[in-house]
Structures are given as C-alpha cells and as structure tokens.
Amino acid sequence: MLATIERAMDETIRMEEIISLAKRRGFIFPAGELYGGLAGIYDYGPLGSLLKEQIKKLWRDTFVFGREDIFLIDAAIIMGEKALSASGHVGGFSDPVVVDTKTGKQYRADHLIESFGVEHAENLSLEEMNQIIKEKNILSPEGNALSEVKDFNLMLKTELGASADSSNIAYLRPETAQGIFVNYKNIMDSMHPKIPFGVAQIGKAYRNEITPRNFIFRLRELEQMEIEYFINPKDWEKYFELWRKEMHRWIELIGLDTEKVHEREVKGEDLAHYSQRTIDFEFDYLFGRKELYGLAYRTDYDLKKHSEASKTKLIYTDPHTGESFIPHVIEPSLGLDRTILATLVSAYREDEMDGKKRIYLALKHNLAPYRIAVSPLVKNKDFIVTKARDIFHNLKKRFGNVAWDDNGNIGKRYRRQDEIGTPFSLVVDYDTFEEGNLFETVSIRERDTGKQERVAVNNLVNYFEEKFSE
Amino acid sequence: MLATIERAMDETIRMEEIISLAKRRGFIFPAGELYGGLAGIYDYGPLGSLLKEQIKKLWRDTFVFGREDIFLIDAAIIMGEKALSASGHVGGFSDPVVVDTKTGKQYRADHLIESFGVEHAENLSLEEMNQIIKEKNILSPEGNALSEVKDFNLMLKTELGASADSSNIAYLRPETAQGIFVNYKNIMDSMHPKIPFGVAQIGKAYRNEITPRNFIFRLRELEQMEIEYFINPKDWEKYFELWRKEMHRWIELIGLDTEKVHEREVKGEDLAHYSQRTIDFEFDYLFGRKELYGLAYRTDYDLKKHSEASKTKLIYTDPHTGESFIPHVIEPSLGLDRTILATLVSAYREDEMDGKKRIYLALKHNLAPYRIAVSPLVKNKDFIVTKARDIFHNLKKRFGNVAWDDNGNIGKRYRRQDEIGTPFSLVVDYDTFEEGNLFETVSIRERDTGKQERVAVNNLVNYFEEKFSE
C-alpha cells in the first residue's frame, strides 16, 4: 500500500516535471494564460508545434501516401444542427452533471458516484444516479449538498448569421468522423473508389468537458487523426484485424513505450451505441491507465442515419457482383494531443551525466523538433563560425529541422538540446582544422548516451541519412 | 460598355466552370450539402486537401524552415473574452447591418449604400448611414423598407462549461494573429529570441459574415497563414520593404498570374485603427479586383493593448544597448482559401487538343495534388501492368504524391489528369519492351503542351528530379 502511494506521488511529481519542461522549453503553453487561463485549452509553442507537425506528417505519410486506398479530406469544423441531430450528437452526446449547491461548481455525477465505490456509473440512468446520491448521502468534494443530476450536452454551440433564428444554430464538431460521413456521396461521385477504401482526416474537434484535466489529456479543444475505412460487412473481422495491426505498427513507429500500451476489449454496456466491437488502446499515463486510441467497428450506423435524415441514398454497388449495400465502417481513431502526451511520457528521462543530474527527451529522430543542432565551439573565431554556418546551411537544406545553437558554453548547449530531444549535436572545434588531417572533421554527440565521435565534414549527409533511416 | 458586360458574363460563366470542376473532381464541396448547405462554409475534398497541404508545406518551407528567424506556433482557435476585448474585437469587430422588414433578410448597410453611388460607405457612422438611407429612399434588393442600421459583431460566440455564467463566454478567434500576441511572453521566456524575429501560424479563423459569397472568397470559416514579425520601431520601413518583396516572391513561387496581382496602398480612413501603413495585395478574381493578401505595419498596438489589459510587461530589452521597448510588428497576412481560389483562377485553362475542347489546370508541380500519374496502356497484359506497378511504387516512394490510373482508355486518362492538374502522365506500353532497345522506356506526356517523349525507365527518378527542381 505504501509502495503504491509512493509510486503515485512519484508519478504526480514526474507529471509536473513534464508540464514544467513543456512550458519552459516552448512545447505547450496554457491557453489564455495572460488572462488567467482557459480550462481544457492549450497552445502549442515553437517546439510543440514542430513535434505536432512531425506526427501529422508521419501519419499522412504512413496512412495516406504510404497506401493507395486512403483519401485525405479536410472538412469544416462548424457543422449544422441537422447533420449532428442525424448522427445522434444533438440528442445524445452528453455527460451527467451535478452542481455543488453552495459553490456552483460542477462535477461529473458518474465520476463522483464511482469515487464512492460504484462501478461503471456511466451506464446508470439519471434517476438511478439521483437515487444513489440520496442513499449514500454523497456530497460535493467541498462537502456541500448536490443538485439533481442533469444531462449536459458536450457540444459547443454557436450561431451563424445575424438573426436569432433557430435555423442558424450550428456546432463545433464533436468528432472529425462526421465530416467524413456527410461527404460520403461527394467522395463517391468525384473519386469513384472501390471498396475497401478509407477517408482520412486530421482536424480539430470540441467537447465541452465538465471537468477538463490532466494537462492535454481531457481537453475542450482537441485534434484528431481519424480514418473511416469503408468495407463490405462480410469482411469486417478481417479489416478490424488489419487495422488493429496497423495501430500497433504506428505505436512502434512513433516510439511509444509499448510496455505502457494495453488493449482493452470494450464490452456490454460500455460499448457505444453505434459500435459492434471496439478495442480501446490504453496507455499508462502518469495519472493512471486511460484511453489513448480507439478502434471501432461502427457498422453502417452513421451512413444509415445520414441517409434516413437527408433522404439520400448513401450506398455502394459492387462493380463485379452488382450487389448494393450501405458500406460498413472500421474506424481507427487517434487523438493527436494524447499522442503527444504519451510521447512525452515515453520519452522523458532523468539520469546522471558527468556527475550532474540530467533531464532529456529520448524522442525518436522522426519526431524530434530538431534532428540536429549545429554549434561553433567558440563565437570569437571567424574560421570556426564560418565553417559551422556552412555545415548548418547544408544540413538544414537537406534535413529541414536543424537548429543553430551558439548560446552559452558547449556543456549548457548539450543540456538544452537534451531537454528538447535533439538526437545529435554537432560541434565545429579547433580539431576540425588540425594539421595533418586527411579530412576536416567535426564532433557529433549522441543524445541518449552522450557518446561523441568524429565524422568527416564531407561525409555528414551520408552519416545522418544512415542514422535517420534506422 | 457592351464589351464590359460581355466580359463580366464570360467571367461569371468561367467562375461557374471552376466551381463545377472543383466539385466534380473532388477539390471543394459545399459544407453540409446533404442537409441543404451552410452559407460561407466549404469542405476540402481529396484533391483539394492535397492542394491545400502542398500550399501549407511550401509556406512553412519558405518562411519557417527556409529562414532562421521565424518560429512556428499553433495556438487554440477558442479565445477568451478578455483577450479579445483587449485586442478591440469584442467592441469593434463589426459590420453595419440592415434587415429587410418584410423578408427578414440581412444586408451589409454599407454595401447597399455604395450600390447607390456613395463611395467608402464603410467609413460612415451608423447615424450617417441611416440618414442616407432615408434621404435616398434606399430599399432592400427585393424592394422592401429597411430596418435601422445596427452594428453586428462578426465574431462567433460560444460558451465553455456547464453554467450559464457570463465569465464562460468565449469566441472563435477572428484572426490567427491574436493567438501570437497573447503568447509573446511565453515565446520570449522559452525561446529567448533576438529582434528582429517572427512568429508564424497556420490555422482557422472565423467571421460571421452577413453576406458570405463568391465561393471560397468571403467565408465564415477560413484558414490563415500569418506572420507577426517583431522589430525595433526605428527599422519599420526597412522590414516593411523586406516583407513586401517576400510576398511577391511567394506569389511567383506558387505560380499565381502576376498580371492579376496589384498592390494597393491603403490610405486615410480605409486604414485599420491599428495600422500605420498597409498594402493590400489585390487579385483580379472572376468577380472583380478584391483583396488577396495584406501587409500591415501594426505598430505596437496589439502588444500595448494586451500589456495594459493583462497588467503584464510585454517588452523587449536590446542585449547590446540595454534599450527597452514594446516591439513593433510587421504582419504579412495570407488567406489560405483565397490563395487556393487565386491559384484555381490562375491555372484554369481551356484549349483545343486533337480536335476536341480540353479543360486543364496549369498548376505548378509544387502545388499539383499529384505530380505524376502512372498508367499501364492496357489492363489485360500482366507484363505491362507489373512493370507499371513497379515504376509507380518507385516514384511514389521518392515523390509521394503519385497517382495510379488505369481507368478507361489512355485518352480519357489524359483528359482526367489534365483536369486535376497533374503535370506528367507516364505510360508503360508495348514499346517499353520492344526488342533491340538498349533500355526499357516509357512514354511521358507533358500536361500543358500534350507533347510526349520517351524516357528510359532507369533514368526516371533523375528525369523527374530535374523537372521538379525547375
């Protein structure tokens, strides 16, 4: 028990260190901080947005450009009321909320009830929750009486146009998926794909979480990378299995700690109304094991609903058999912010180097904000600086995300590059120009081990190409 | 006069053809079309999102990775009321609106008044507008009486959290710029940049336009690519000139028709309250000459306002002179959707080829959704298909956006690739395997001229690398 508490405390401290590093080093800032902050909303800073771009690029390279059966789309974030009524979100995308009658603070009713030992409280009806709160005399965390439990719709609402006409109500989409389903017909009519095919999208989605928390885990503004893969229902098990493997391949590709990743078969009442099978990919964050990704067999639920509500045929006709049907869907759904959080948790390391405590991010080179940092040993020798600038420009031209770093002494630069996860630090020093050398050489230091080696200047591009192909 | 009317008619038809091609070929779909559409909102389809990604990549490559003084950030779309009050948007980001008292339809009051021969009506006060409407007896386009002119705030509003507390009001940002200004301190504290430096951002912004129109020109959900370049005020003219040149360089880089681009010095009352100098880059769309990009010297207006409202010092201290000041800002602001529209208008061509009318998009290879299409001449000869697949995979691996096209006969494929702007179509045919050849060769057809040449298979990567470096 003591060990468990100690571990939880360690993890809480570790989480705070990661949040602190993220802010200090320009990865992630609390949004609106200048004005007291906005709960559940974060801004990505210079290094965070580079990391984010790398992940998005890798996802597109893997699942869109690396395949032939996936189309990219980029649908609008704002969606109309009719579309989101048809999908079930206007009626059903809600969480049960109770209010502390004294402070006015809101809480998730099911979470409060669960903290009193009731399992799967999210499956209870509002009545059942009210009953339990009464029976168990559950109070707010501040010790005050609670209001009745009510359903609270999680969609962010807005109004389009100047009149207060109700037909102008619109929502910020709660998932990118719906932007794909409502475009099914447009995609069929323009691209004429054959089943199986997928439609992929990266974009923002919004959930008015009652209690946003855990840094970038439970957000009100979040980003998703989703694929809706359209299939013949008879093949669903095959493609479910295929995407399950693809998701594991992705998890390895970005270097998540695979020991922290766990599949959870979602069963019974936990299964969403639209799904016939769902696997949650959970991750051991530093605040418990929670959802990272989801793989769902959504059947034909969404297309059917949109077809009925819009009175439009959303079908597929097999060119060989002539069979017509509403395609079924396998959905690998990835949260981008959670990917970043799991990446930071996987990569964060502390050790001792040269007798001092060291913090570093062991990011894979395909995610690191900068893959190489180039430095002149000193700033007051023109021949050293000029050579370093030359090398910097060449490497930047070839590899893009290469940093120039001439701030402070070399030791400090190494520590700084370690903290932001730069895999290689290159230094032009006096040895570069040593007489008797066959070639000019530079020092290259590897982040994780701190080991240094000398590499010929005219072999640098090859050297890094090899390192980055690993 | 007749020639002018004819030209306007031609342009209207041309515009409709572009909109039709954009939908037919999977570039741009009206959002929410399944449910009757959402005015001023569009979805980018498979080819449109590839085109969009290419433009974003080129912008980042040019202005972020191609330089050393620009940081990327990715701030949230939702911003709090305090931040947008400070920036002046809660109070002042509005258009004058009048309502047709019979139909309830809304109109921009200034636009209506201008159509009655009054110039620069946007600078009139509400009172003056009401006066003119009365004096000139201005009616709605349907001939009905108009309501009083009122200010209508263009920001889209939403509410965060479960209570109807007014402190929960938030907005979808009206420009990406504000997400940069509110992070000035975070960026200084984490990255320690030296002036001059810039912060760049690509992202969505929202304007509740009273009359969205002209396809993707006047949108309610739009995407911007903005840079805020922080400078010492004494240097503003130098950097204004530098960015003016950079914007022209960009316009050439993406292949816009430079004869359609015009600088307009914004003067007097047209100048925004925050700007000391602004140049609009206007473009001859097919519905008149209108704004494409803007270059503004925003002075220290925004940082000053945020500093006052948040009671936080937002200053810069010169490390050499010790001088402290609020940095001034040069802002090159690019609309992404307008870039796409200007690109389509610039690239759309009709000609005759082989005795038939042909439509094609003369997109530069750096923007084309697919840079190469690979085809087997016939589908029923294994040796031809296998060779074509081999080549396809190799080229896709090297160049990414390469299409496989084996649909219909070769003539039809060429026409289809022309319409979506693919610069090169490669065909594996019987000649590929002709005996006596030293090398296997394929046919490569150039989109704009229709000219074909034979290229050795083992030289293809070089061939295209050279073409794409032009």
Side-chain angles (χ1 to χ4, degrees):
Chain A
M1 184 65 189
L2 201 64
T4 314
I5 293 174
E6 265 178 22
R7 196 171 142 257
M9 279 181 65
D10 279 355
E11 294 203 330
T12 304
I13 292 169
R14 172 67 57 97
M15 190 65 220
E16 275 163 19
E17 283 167 344
I18 290 177
I19 295 172
S20 157
L21 184 150
K23 189 178 170 198
R24 191 173 71 245
R25 287 298 177 212
F27 283 86
I28 300 164
F29 308 131
E33 206 186 9
L34 210 51
Y35 296 99
L38 285 177
I41 305 185
Y42 284 83
D43 294 339
Y44 286 85
L47 297 188
S49 55
L50 291 182
L51 173 58
K52 201 180 189 185
E53 281 305 322
Q54 302 279 53
I55 294 172
K56 286 158 87 164
K57 181 179 181 300
L58 209 55
W59 187 84
R60 277 191 301 259
D61 283 350
T62 306
F63 296 119
V64 181
F65 300 121
R67 302 174 61 105
E68 292 173 48
D69 57 350
I70 309 256
F71 300 106
L72 196 66
I73 75 161
D74 186 10
I77 289 170
I78 291 188
M79 295 189 73
E81 190 161 36
K82 284 181 194 161
L84 292 169
S85 287
S87 67
H89 288 92
V90 171
F93 190 63
S94 55
D95 278 341
V97 63
V98 280
V99 183
D100 177 315
T101 52
K102 204 161 172 188
T103 65
K105 274 196 190 170
Q106 288 125 17
Y107 300 94
R108 281 276 294 266
D110 51 337
H111 289 177
L112 265 186
I113 289 171
E114 280 177 4
S115 70
F116 279 70
V118 180
E119 279 185 16
H120 299 294
E122 74 269 28
N123 300 324
L124 298 171
S125 69
L126 296 188
E127 259 174 52
E128 289 166 330
M129 289 192 207
N130 279 320
Q131 190 73 26
I132 291 174
I133 287 174
K134 221 171 160 181
E135 278 170 11
K136 298 198 174 239
N137 194 25
I138 297 178
L139 300 174
S140 78
E142 283 90 356
N144 302 316
L146 293 168
S147 72
E148 290 275 293
V149 183
K150 282 190 183 152
D151 261 336
F152 175 66
N153 192 293
L154 297 180
M155 286 200 294
L156 285 178
K157 199 190 268 194
T158 191
E159 249 173 81
L160 299 174
S163 81
D165 188 335
S166 74
S167 69
N168 291 342
I169 286 176
Y171 296 91
L172 307 193
R173 62 182 174 200
E175 55 176 7
T176 54
Q178 295 306 324
I180 295 175
F181 294 126
V182 298
N183 276 304
Y184 173 80
K185 192 173 183 304
N186 281 327
I187 291 164
M188 292 308 294
D189 291 348
S190 57
M191 308 306 288
H192 314 287
K194 290 193 186 68
I195 265 176
F197 71 92
V199 181
Q201 184 173 217
I202 301 180
K204 295 276 176 96
Y206 293 80
R207 295 178 183 184
N208 197 1
E209 297 285 355
I210 296 161
T211 47
R213 59 179 156 182
N214 288 331
F215 193 36
I216 54 171
F217 175 77
R218 194 175 297 286
L219 290 172
R220 285 178 171 159
E221 175 170 327
L222 53 129
E223 198 154 353
Q224 296 184 309
M225 308 187 286
E226 292 195 315
I227 297 168
E228 307 303 322
Y229 197 71
F230 297 94
I231 57 167
N232 187 317
K234 71 178 168 54
D235 299 325
W236 81 265
E237 281 161 313
K238 179 171 94 184
Y239 290 115
F240 193 90
E241 208 41 53
L242 181 145
W243 281 104
R244 185 184 186 169
K245 289 208 184 92
E246 284 295 285
M247 288 176 81
H248 282 291
R249 195 165 70 94
W250 166 258
I251 285 164
E252 285 187 20
L253 184 66
I254 60 173
L256 293 191
D257 183 346
T258 51
E259 287 189 8
K260 290 191 163 70
V261 177
H262 311 275
E263 282 194 14
R264 186 172 73 89
E265 186 78 38
V266 180
K267 296 220 168 188
E269 289 188 321
D270 284 354
L271 206 59
H273 58 283
Y274 55 72
S275 175
Q276 200 150 311
R277 186 179 179 196
T278 295
I279 291 176
D280 276 355
F281 288 73
E282 300 190 319
F283 186 82
D284 295 324
Y285 298 97
L286 295 166
F287 40 80
R289 182 173 297 179
K290 292 188 186 295
E291 193 187 337
L292 171 64
Y293 300 145
L295 175 64
Y297 171 33
R298 286 181 86 129
T299 68
D300 58 356
Y301 179 85
D302 300 274
L303 285 186
K304 211 180 208 168
K305 289 286 176 189
H306 285 300
S307 174
E308 285 165 12
S310 67
K311 299 191 172 55
T312 310
K313 270 194 181 168
L314 301 176
I315 56 166
Y316 178 78
T317 303
D318 189 299
H320 300 298
T321 65
E323 180 197 5
S324 271
F325 57 90
I326 300 181
H328 282 224
V329 164
I330 306 288
E331 177 193 73
S333 174
L334 282 64
L336 181 49
D337 310 278
R338 288 182 184 184
T339 302
I340 290 170
L341 181 53
T343 297
L344 291 176
V345 170
S346 297
Y348 188 90
R349 302 268 200 291
E350 288 179 6
D351 65 2
E352 239 190 63
M353 192 172 275
D354 307 327
K356 277 190 213 153
K357 184 188 149 185
R358 176 178 79 129
I359 293 172
Y360 67 104
L361 291 183
L363 294 172
K364 279 188 73 171
H365 64 78
N366 57 8
L367 295 193
Y370 301 117
R371 292 201 278 188
I372 311 165
V374 178
S375 282
L377 179 70
V378 292
K379 283 163 82 172
N380 58 357
K381 298 286 177 196
D382 274 355
F383 64 101
I384 286 184
V385 174
T386 307
K387 175 59 67 181
R389 297 289 301 169
D390 266 8
I391 292 171
F392 168 66
H393 286 301
N394 283 336
L395 293 178
K396 192 171 165 72
K397 205 173 163 188
R398 174 65 189 81
F399 299 109
N401 51 345
V402 175
W404 173 257
D405 190 354
D406 62 2
N407 226 329
N409 67 44
I410 287 292
K412 279 193 185 154
R413 290 181 215 167
Y414 285 156
R415 294 299 168 115
R416 193 162 49 231
Q417 297 299 335
D418 287 347
E419 271 205 339
I420 65 173
T422 310
F424 299 100
S425 287
L426 181 159
V427 178
V428 174
D429 52 21
Y430 292 103
D431 289 355
T432 302
F433 307 95
E434 207 173 8
E435 277 180 62
N437 276 356
L438 269 173
F439 306 107
E440 287 175 347
T441 62
V442 294
S443 156
I444 293 179
R445 172 182 175 275
E446 201 271 328
R447 175 196 60 206
D448 298 354
T449 59
K451 275 186 195 153
Q452 297 182 29
E453 60 178 324
R454 299 220 53 106
V455 176
V457 171
N458 58 17
N459 192 39
L460 282 172
V461 168
N462 282 338
Y463 175 86
F464 286 118
E465 271 177 353
E466 213 163 280
K467 291 284 182 189
F468 298 150
S469 71
E470 278 165 16
Chain B
M1 184 63 187
L2 200 61
T4 314
I5 292 175
E6 266 177 21
R7 194 169 145 260
M9 280 180 63
D10 280 354
E11 294 202 332
T12 304
I13 292 169
R14 172 66 58 98
M15 191 63 220
E16 276 164 18
E17 283 166 344
I18 290 176
I19 295 172
S20 157
L21 185 150
K23 189 176 171 200
R24 191 172 71 246
R25 288 296 176 214
F27 282 87
I28 300 163
F29 309 131
E33 206 186 8
L34 209 53
Y35 295 98
L38 285 177
I41 305 185
Y42 285 84
D43 293 339
Y44 285 85
L47 297 188
S49 54
L50 291 182
L51 172 58
K52 202 181 189 185
E53 280 305 323
Q54 302 278 55
I55 293 172
K56 286 157 87 166
K57 181 179 182 300
L58 208 56
W59 188 84
R60 278 191 301 259
D61 283 349
T62 307
F63 297 118
V64 181
F65 301 121
R67 303 174 60 106
E68 293 172 48
D69 56 351
I70 309 253
F71 300 107
L72 196 65
I73 75 160
D74 186 10
I77 290 169
I78 291 188
M79 295 188 73
E81 189 160 37
K82 284 180 194 159
L84 293 168
S85 287
S87 67
H89 288 91
V90 171
F93 191 63
S94 55
D95 278 341
V97 62
V98 280
V99 183
D100 178 314
T101 52
K102 205 161 171 188
T103 65
K105 275 195 190 169
Q106 288 126 14
Y107 300 95
R108 281 276 294 265
D110 51 337
H111 289 178
L112 266 186
I113 289 171
E114 280 177 3
S115 70
F116 279 71
V118 179
E119 280 183 18
H120 298 294
E122 74 269 27
N123 300 325
L124 298 170
S125 70
L126 295 187
E127 258 175 52
E128 288 167 331
M129 289 192 207
N130 278 321
Q131 189 73 25
I132 291 174
I133 287 174
K134 217 169 161 186
E135 278 171 11
K136 299 200 174 235
N137 194 24
I138 296 177
L139 300 174
S140 78
E142 282 90 358
N144 302 317
L146 294 168
S147 72
E148 291 274 293
V149 183
K150 280 188 185 156
D151 261 335
F152 174 67
N153 192 294
L154 296 181
M155 285 200 294
L156 285 178
K157 199 191 270 195
T158 191
E159 249 173 81
L160 299 175
S163 81
D165 187 334
S166 75
S167 70
N168 291 342
I169 287 176
Y171 297 91
L172 307 192
R173 64 183 174 198
E175 55 176 8
T176 54
Q178 295 305 324
I180 295 175
F181 294 126
V182 297
N183 276 304
Y184 173 79
K185 192 172 182 309
N186 281 327
I187 292 164
M188 292 308 293
D189 290 348
S190 56
M191 308 305 289
H192 314 287
K194 291 195 186 67
I195 266 177
F197 71 92
V199 181
Q201 183 173 218
I202 301 180
K204 294 277 177 93
Y206 293 80
R207 294 177 183 184
N208 197 1
E209 295 286 354
I210 297 160
T211 47
R213 58 179 157 182
N214 289 331
F215 193 36
I216 54 171
F217 176 77
R218 193 175 298 284
L219 291 172
R220 285 178 172 160
E221 175 170 327
L222 53 127
E223 199 155 353
Q224 296 184 309
M225 307 186 286
E226 293 195 315
I227 297 168
E228 306 303 321
Y229 198 72
F230 296 94
I231 57 167
N232 188 319
K234 71 178 166 52
D235 298 324
W236 80 267
E237 282 162 312
K238 179 172 93 183
Y239 290 116
F240 193 91
E241 206 44 51
L242 181 146
W243 281 105
R244 185 184 186 168
K245 287 205 184 95
E246 284 295 283
M247 288 175 81
H248 282 292
R249 194 165 73 93
W250 166 258
I251 285 164
E252 285 187 18
L253 185 66
I254 60 172
L256 294 189
D257 182 347
T258 51
E259 285 189 10
K260 290 190 163 70
V261 177
H262 311 276
E263 281 193 15
R264 186 172 74 88
E265 186 78 38
V266 181
K267 295 219 169 189
E269 288 187 323
D270 285 352
L271 206 59
H273 58 284
Y274 55 73
S275 176
Q276 200 150 312
R277 187 180 178 196
T278 295
I279 292 177
D280 276 356
F281 288 72
E282 299 189 320
F283 186 81
D284 295 325
Y285 298 98
L286 295 165
F287 40 80
R289 181 173 298 180
K290 292 188 187 295
E291 193 186 339
L292 169 65
Y293 299 145
L295 176 64
Y297 170 34
R298 286 181 86 129
T299 69
D300 57 357
Y301 179 84
D302 300 274
L303 284 186
K304 212 180 206 168
K305 289 287 176 190
H306 286 299
S307 174
E308 285 165 11
S310 67
K311 300 192 173 54
T312 309
K313 270 195 181 170
L314 301 177
I315 55 164
Y316 178 79
T317 303
D318 190 299
H320 299 299
T321 66
E323 180 198 5
S324 270
F325 56 91
I326 300 181
H328 282 224
V329 165
I330 305 288
E331 177 194 72
S333 174
L334 281 64
L336 181 49
D337 310 278
R338 289 183 183 182
T339 302
I340 290 170
L341 181 54
T343 297
L344 291 176
V345 169
S346 297
Y348 188 90
R349 303 267 200 291
E350 289 179 7
D351 65 3
E352 239 189 62
M353 193 173 273
D354 308 327
K356 277 189 212 149
K357 184 188 149 186
R358 176 177 78 129
I359 293 171
Y360 68 103
L361 290 184
L363 293 172
K364 279 188 74 171
H365 64 79
N366 58 7
L367 294 193
Y370 300 117
R371 291 201 278 188
I372 311 166
V374 177
S375 283
L377 180 69
V378 292
K379 283 162 83 170
N380 58 357
K381 298 287 177 198
D382 274 355
F383 64 101
I384 286 184
V385 174
T386 307
K387 176 59 67 181
R389 298 287 302 169
D390 267 7
I391 292 171
F392 168 66
H393 286 300
N394 283 337
L395 293 178
K396 192 171 165 70
K397 205 171 162 190
R398 176 63 190 84
F399 298 109
N401 52 343
V402 176
W404 173 257
D405 191 354
D406 61 4
N407 226 329
N409 67 43
I410 288 293
K412 277 191 186 156
R413 291 180 215 167
Y414 285 155
R415 293 299 168 114
R416 192 164 50 232
Q417 297 299 335
D418 287 347
E419 270 204 342
I420 66 173
T422 310
F424 298 101
S425 288
L426 182 160
V427 177
V428 174
D429 51 21
Y430 291 103
D431 290 354
T432 301
F433 306 96
E434 208 173 9
E435 278 181 59
N437 275 356
L438 269 175
F439 305 108
E440 287 174 347
T441 61
V442 294
S443 156
I444 292 179
R445 172 181 175 276
E446 201 272 328
R447 174 195 63 207
D448 297 354
T449 58
K451 273 185 197 154
Q452 298 181 31
E453 59 177 324
R454 299 219 53 103
V455 177
V457 171
N458 58 17
N459 192 39
L460 282 171
V461 168
N462 282 338
Y463 175 86
F464 286 117
E465 269 177 353
E466 212 163 281
K467 290 286 183 188
F468 298 148
S469 70
E470 275 165 15

